[in-house]
Amino acid sequence: MTPTDAANPARRLTARVTGEVQAVGFRYRTLQQANRLGLTGVVSNHSDGSVLVVAEGPEPALQELLHWLNSPAAPGTVDAVQESWSDATGKFGSFSTE
């Protein structure tokens, strides 16, 4: 994880992504983006067709991931991203897919 400091304490972003986001490489590309940004967490498919992203790290890096999730660069077709923010828990040692 990218080191944090008082100016950029670790935060947690939980994002539910809906649209055509399964079977299009969405999880793999999200994993790549999260690793590039130095984030930890997990991305997983859900039975309702959505993808859940839980990422921890400095808020500027999380904001960049959120921007990417909402951008045309994300695979498939993103209809909506529902986001929530909380304090990081330190639960994750890396970023992975489920």
Side-chain angles (χ1 to χ4, degrees):
M1 179 191 316
T2 302
T4 58
D5 56 34
N8 290 309
R11 298 279 291 153
R12 175 180 275 202
L13 166 67
T14 302
R16 181 175 173 264
V17 185
T18 56
E20 186 182 319
V21 291
Q22 290 190 11
V24 293
F26 194 90
R27 289 180 303 151
Y28 177 73
R29 291 283 305 284
T30 301
L31 171 72
Q32 288 180 318
Q33 289 297 317
N35 284 333
R36 182 181 68 77
L37 294 167
L39 301 172
T40 62
V42 65
V43 58
S44 56
N45 285 340
H46 282 242
S47 60
D48 65 359
S50 67
V51 171
L52 183 67
V53 179
V54 179
E56 293 188 349
E59 191 164 340
L62 293 169
Q63 288 286 356
E64 191 171 335
L65 178 64
L66 182 61
H67 174 76
W68 180 84
L69 291 172
N70 280 293
S71 77
T77 304
V78 174
D79 291 339
V81 178
Q82 298 171 326
E83 65 184 271
S84 64
W85 294 87
S86 59
D87 293 332
T89 66
K91 173 182 177 180
F92 307 104
S94 63
F95 201 93
S96 63
T97 62
E98 289 183 346

